[in-house]
């Protein structure tokens, strides 16, 4: 088991910067998810931690010790690849046992541990199969087995669920979570799917274009995104962003022609972006003094909830309404932003303006 | 088409089985009485066994040497990010484009200076020089088709780079290795120009040269030449058929990606 610390870690491929210098702390035994759109440098980051790529700058520290000079075999990490990377010419048994046979563990011991792992993952009946004779979900479990058997300090998982179909993905997600609780080893889990990250991780790091935008527990990221990118990326649907203006004292925000008082004054005046989650609106048919009169543009009844799309200050806004909310596209609606839940962002930089105390 | 390819071989086979008297009669049909005298006399009246051994040693050594160097170079080229990789491959290939005849006299001087004339080394070195570029090309195209994750997986699973090559990449590149081995072997087995120039005696003479030197002052022993040709072609054909099975089984095993 190990805690990991990245200090000013960066990576360039020629002129192309894949990772800008970043600092990140991953606690021992925690489940860290690294999320970001495809191409943002997630795999590169994982490869750097594993020692499969050499950083262009910065340091990687396991339990207080720099591991920069250690090659992958010495770092004692296990890697689960998106493509599983099972050895096609080896049986399931040989695949799972490979890390141990390379480490010259005694044959009996290898046998024993393979059987333990196979039982844990329900692979007992597949041990003599070749990878090509397995389904996607089975291959995925073999890849996990090959990682677990080593009892490594750190598990690195690169989009391990993205090649599974939707149903299996949700099921395996739950199994992964159980596995982490059982092993209590540090997991670093890379995904482009924010739902996966939210449901699995203790802490989420959000990456875009090689830059770290925020690293915090899921709830904090959801409630207080560091910038508009994080707000929009996390949540499904993402946060709504509405252009607004703040008065000179920072005490009142104007959305369209309606004024909303703030409970605490803001450090900024003038143009601002108000960030509101879809559930941070109240919606109804009857007007009240804080409501904006709107028209439903799209209505999506999803069963457990109804999503209603409308438009506020020129921006598209999605509102979460109860499942039984009766409404059709074109119907008039009264929308009240629940401003006490809002985040405020700088109009140019998109950075969250912390509420003043 | 098939006849076009096989015709000369059959003709040769028939010639090798005819008694001397009707050797050149046309059309080339099998005589009523098939004789094996030519096959016997190749070995009894000429040092043909020794010559086959020479060819075998030269071709095998060339193949092993080429594969060893070729696999390592191809591995380095396809796994590590080396700057100027494309340039290197182009350069390597351009070496093999040299017409052999242009290199014969400088090589001759070199070989004489090294004092290895009429030894196996005199053939193995030039052959390897010409066969290596092609080997590197064939092998690196096979190795770079193996998903890079497999190499990475082997590395995190505790392999050194060479272990990863040997335990994971090499078995998966087996079809490429066999293809390459056959190409190099056939090239070395059939090469004529260097073999003629760099060998002088049965010490190291190889098959193509030996057969070319069969004709005596007064007669051309067509029957024996045909018999010798059949004898030396047979192993190649067998080799290809044996390895073909392995190539096909290797291909199906390798085509499954993680
Ligand atoms: N070996 C490499 N050589 C050059 N560029 C690379 C290499 N690996 C990744 N990159 C570049 O680095 C960036 C990040 O890639 P990657 O880490 O694979 O993103 P992600 O896993 O988030 O989709 C991309 O722009 C990609 O093109
Ligand atoms: Mg990736």
């Amino acid at each position: 088991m190990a805690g990991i610390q990245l200090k000013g870690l960066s990576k360039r491929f020629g002129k192309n910067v894949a990772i800008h210098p970043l600092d990140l702390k991953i606690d021992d035994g925690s489940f860290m998810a690294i999320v970001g759109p495809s191409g943002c440098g997630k795999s590169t980051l994982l490869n750097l931690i594993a020692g499969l790529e050499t950083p262009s700058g910065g340091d990687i520290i396991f339990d207080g010790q720099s591991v920069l000079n250690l090659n992958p075999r010495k770092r004692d990490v296990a890697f689960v690849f998106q493509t599983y990377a099972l050895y096609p010419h080896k049986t399931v048994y040989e695949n799972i046992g490979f890390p141990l046979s390379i480490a010259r563990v005694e044959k009996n011991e290898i046998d024993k541990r393979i059987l333990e792992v196979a039982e844990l993952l329900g692979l007992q009946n597949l041990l003599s199969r070749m990878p090509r004779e397995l389904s996607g979900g089975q291959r995925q479990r073999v890849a996990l087995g090959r990682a677990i058997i080593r009892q490594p300090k750190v598990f690195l998982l690169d989009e391990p669920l993205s090649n599974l179909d939707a149903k299996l993905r949700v099921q395996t997600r739950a199994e992964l979570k159980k596995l982490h609780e059982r092993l209590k080893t540090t997991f670093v889990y890379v995904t482009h799917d924010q739902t996966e990250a939210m449901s699995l991780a203790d802490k989420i790091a959000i990456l875009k274009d090689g830059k770290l935008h925020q690293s915090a527990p899921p709830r904090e990221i959801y409630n207080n995104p560091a910038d508009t990118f994080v707000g929009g990326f996390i949540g499904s649907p993402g946060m709504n962003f509405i252009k607004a203006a703040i008065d000179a004292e920072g005490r009142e925000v104007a959305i369209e022609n309606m004024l909303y008082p703030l409970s605490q004054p803001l450090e900024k005046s003038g143009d601002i972006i108000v960030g509101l989650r879809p559930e941070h609106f109240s919606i109804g048919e009857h007007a009240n003094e804080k409501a904006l009169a709107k028209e439903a543009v799209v209505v999506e009844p999803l069963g457990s909830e109804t999503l209603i799309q409308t438009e506020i200050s020129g921006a598209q806004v999605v509102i979460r309404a109860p499942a039984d909310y009766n409404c059709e596209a074109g119907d008039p609606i009264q929308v009240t932003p629940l401003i006490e839940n809002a985040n405020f962002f700088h109009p140019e930089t998109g950075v969250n303006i912390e509420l003043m105390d | 088409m098939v006849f076009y390819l096989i015709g000369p071989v059959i003709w040769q086979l028939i010639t090798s089985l005819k008694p001397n008297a009707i050797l050149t009669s046309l059309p080339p049909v099998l005589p009523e009485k098939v004789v094996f005298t030519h096959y016997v006399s190749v070995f009894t009246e000429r040092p043909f066994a020794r010559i086959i051994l020479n060819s075998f040693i030269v071709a095998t050594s060339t193949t092993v040497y080429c594969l060893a160097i070729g696999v390592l170079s191809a591995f380095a080229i396809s796994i590590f990010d080396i700057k100027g990789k494309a340039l290197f491959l182009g350069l390597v290939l351009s070496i093999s484009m040299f017409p052999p005849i242009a290199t014969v006299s400088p090589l001759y001087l070199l070989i004489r200076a090294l004092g290895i004339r009429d030894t196996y080394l005199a053939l193995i070195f030039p052959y390897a020089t010409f066969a290596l570029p092609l080997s590197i090309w064939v092998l690196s195209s096979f190795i770079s088709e193996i998903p890079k994750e497999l190499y990475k997986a082997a590395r995190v699973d505790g392999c050194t780079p060479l272990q990863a090559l040997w335990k994971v990449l090499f078995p998966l590149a087996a079809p490429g290795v066999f293809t390459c081995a056959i190409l190099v072997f056939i090239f070395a087995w059939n090469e004529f120009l260097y073999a003629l120039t760099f060998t002088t005696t049965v010490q190291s003479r190889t098959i193509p040269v030996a057969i070319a030197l069969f004709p005596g002052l007064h007669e051309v022993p067509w029957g024996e030449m045909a018999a010798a040709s059949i004898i030396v072609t047979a192993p190649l054909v067998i080799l290809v058929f044996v390895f073909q099975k392995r190539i096909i089984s290797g291909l199906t095993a390798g085509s499954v990606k993680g």
Side-chain angles (χ1 to χ4, degrees):
Chain A
M1 291 219 264
I4 303 174
Q5 221 182 332
L6 310 180
K7 283 190 176 166
L9 189 66
S10 67
K11 177 69 185 173
R12 267 179 284 111
F13 291 105
K15 274 187 235 137
N16 179 7
V17 182
I19 305 276
H20 292 271
L22 64 78
D23 294 298
L24 186 63
K25 198 161 170 288
I26 303 168
D27 293 328
D28 191 0
S30 70
F31 198 127
M32 169 67 106
I34 296 172
V35 212
S38 128
C40 70
K42 306 180 296 289
S43 299
T44 306
L45 193 60
L46 224 48
N47 283 330
L48 287 170
I49 297 175
L52 293 167
E53 298 275 6
T54 318
S56 308
D59 203 353
I60 302 169
I61 291 160
F62 284 14
D63 282 338
Q65 300 258 305
S66 170
V67 293
L68 274 196
N69 296 322
L70 299 184
N71 59 28
R73 55 183 293 179
K74 297 253 176 64
R75 289 196 191 182
D76 198 13
V77 299
F79 209 119
V80 177
F81 295 87
Q82 183 174 3
T83 55
Y84 313 138
L86 302 182
Y87 307 120
H89 57 300
K90 293 182 187 293
T91 61
V92 168
Y93 184 92
E94 291 164 338
N95 263 283
I96 297 179
F98 188 70
L100 297 187
S101 65
I102 286 293
R104 296 186 187 284
V105 174
E106 207 189 318
K107 183 87 180 59
N108 292 339
E109 169 75 9
I110 297 182
D111 274 343
K112 201 180 107 222
R113 275 163 68 180
I114 291 177
L115 292 180
E116 276 170 20
V117 167
E119 195 177 336
L120 180 68
L121 297 171
L123 291 168
Q124 299 99 314
N125 301 325
L126 305 174
L127 287 175
S128 58
R129 298 251 192 113
M130 300 302 278
R132 64 172 173 277
E133 299 164 336
L134 302 178
S135 71
Q138 291 167 336
R139 288 180 197 187
Q140 211 273 338
R141 273 182 284 152
V142 176
L144 271 179
R146 191 175 65 184
I148 295 172
I149 198 162
R150 291 248 313 276
Q151 303 167 348
K153 279 192 204 150
V154 178
F155 283 94
L156 305 172
L157 303 103
D158 192 353
E159 313 214 16
L161 305 184
S162 64
N163 283 353
L164 301 180
D165 58 55
K167 200 171 164 200
L168 199 53
R169 203 177 311 157
V170 174
Q171 192 185 328
T172 316
R173 197 167 78 190
E175 281 171 19
L176 265 179
K177 190 152 189 167
K178 264 190 260 163
L179 192 65
H180 175 251
E181 269 152 29
R182 198 188 142 121
L183 299 173
K184 298 190 171 62
T185 310
T186 314
F187 272 50
V188 184
Y189 183 100
V190 156
T191 174
H192 64 266
D193 179 348
Q194 58 91 24
T195 321
E196 249 171 51
M198 294 291 281
S199 64
L200 283 171
D202 313 329
K203 214 170 163 191
I204 298 179
I206 293 171
L207 215 57
K208 186 196 173 210
D209 297 335
K211 292 193 187 107
L212 181 64
H213 281 238
Q214 189 170 10
S215 149
R219 197 154 294 176
E220 190 183 328
I221 292 216
Y222 190 82
N223 293 333
N224 293 305
D227 54 32
T228 48
F229 170 73
V230 174
F233 190 75
I234 296 292
S236 144
M239 188 174 257
N240 299 297
F241 299 107
I242 302 166
K243 285 202 200 88
I246 300 260
D247 69 343
E249 281 89 54
R251 290 180 182 281
E252 239 177 2
V253 59
I255 297 176
E256 295 193 336
N257 46 18
M258 207 65 87
L259 286 177
Y260 300 91
L262 299 177
S263 50
Q264 286 158 310
L266 217 57
E267 225 173 36
K268 171 143 182 17
S269 62
D271 286 346
I272 198 158
I273 293 173
V274 176
L276 282 162
R277 294 270 170 208
E279 57 273 29
H280 294 156
F281 295 90
S282 76
I283 185 168
E285 284 156 36
H286 305 294
N288 64 49
E289 81 268 28
K290 293 293 176 209
L292 301 163
K294 292 289 163 191
E295 185 179 283
V297 179
V298 179
V299 178
E300 295 175 73
L302 298 180
S304 60
E305 63 191 25
T306 302
L307 295 180
I308 298 167
Q309 191 185 311
T310 182
E311 174 263 301
I312 298 178
S313 351
Q316 202 185 71
V317 167
V318 177
I319 295 165
R320 186 168 276 146
D324 58 1
Y325 187 79
N326 248 331
C327 174
E328 274 174 42
D331 286 357
I333 46 174
Q334 296 289 332
V335 178
T336 315
L338 306 176
I339 211 76
E340 63 275 19
N341 295 308
N343 279 275
F344 298 94
F345 301 94
H346 194 282
E348 277 113 44
T349 61
V351 173
N352 198 333
I353 301 164
E354 298 287 357
L355 288 170
M356 291 190 322
D357 286 323
Chain B
M1 183 69 194
V2 174
F3 180 76
Y4 185 75
L5 289 174
I6 297 245
V9 180
I10 295 184
W11 194 337
Q12 203 144 58
L13 184 68
I14 291 169
T15 309
S16 73
L17 295 171
K18 278 179 181 177
N20 270 331
I22 55 162
L23 209 55
T24 51
S25 66
L26 287 174
V29 287
L30 218 51
E32 278 133 47
K33 201 168 132 276
V34 172
V35 292
F36 290 94
T37 47
H38 301 308
Y39 285 88
V40 177
S41 68
V42 178
F43 288 102
T44 52
E45 287 167 32
R46 301 171 189 278
F48 202 57
R50 168 71 199 221
I51 280 169
I52 291 180
L53 181 70
N54 289 344
S55 268
F56 183 77
I57 291 178
V58 168
T60 309
S61 317
T62 307
T63 308
V64 170
Y65 178 74
C66 267
L67 284 186
I69 308 265
V71 165
L72 286 175
S73 328
F75 169 63
I77 289 172
S78 31
I79 292 297
F80 303 117
D81 288 324
I82 296 170
K83 274 187 196 146
K85 182 150 71 178
L87 183 74
F88 175 74
L89 274 177
L91 214 65
V92 158
L93 197 65
S94 68
I95 293 172
S96 66
M97 305 256 177
F98 261 63
I101 189 79
T103 58
V104 165
S105 36
L107 268 177
Y108 182 81
L109 294 177
L110 187 69
I111 280 168
R112 207 177 49 180
L114 290 173
I116 55 170
R117 219 176 145 225
D118 204 25
T119 66
Y120 294 143
L121 286 182
L123 294 180
I124 294 171
F125 278 138
Y127 286 179
T129 316
F130 270 86
L132 248 182
L134 189 72
S135 314
I136 294 179
W137 262 78
V138 171
L139 291 170
S140 61
S141 76
F142 270 86
I143 292 186
S144 51
E145 255 174 42
I146 300 173
K148 250 189 159 178
E149 276 85 24
L150 287 178
Y151 173 74
K152 291 184 175 180
R155 293 283 282 137
V156 254
D157 282 345
C159 289
T160 63
L162 278 182
Q163 273 179 319
L165 169 65
W166 183 245
K167 296 196 183 239
V168 174
L169 299 185
F170 190 77
L172 295 176
V177 175
F178 285 125
T179 309
C180 184
I182 287 174
L183 289 177
V184 175
F185 191 89
I186 291 177
F187 159 74
W189 187 259
N190 287 337
E191 204 281 336
F192 181 74
L193 183 62
Y194 290 157
L196 182 66
T197 322
F198 302 148
T199 65
T200 44
T201 65
V202 291
Q203 271 283 317
S204 63
R205 185 171 291 156
T206 57
I207 294 160
V209 178
I211 293 180
L213 295 178
F214 271 9
L217 217 47
H218 305 294
E219 42 126 30
V220 178
W222 292 119
E224 284 183 13
M225 287 170 75
S229 306
I230 295 293
I231 292 170
V232 302
T233 319
L236 287 192
V237 175
I238 292 169
L239 198 71
V240 169
F241 275 108
V242 168
F243 279 138
Q244 197 174 37
K245 263 198 186 142
R246 305 204 60 168
I247 287 173
I248 292 166
S249 67
L251 273 177
T252 46
S255 64
V256 180
K257 302 199 171 153

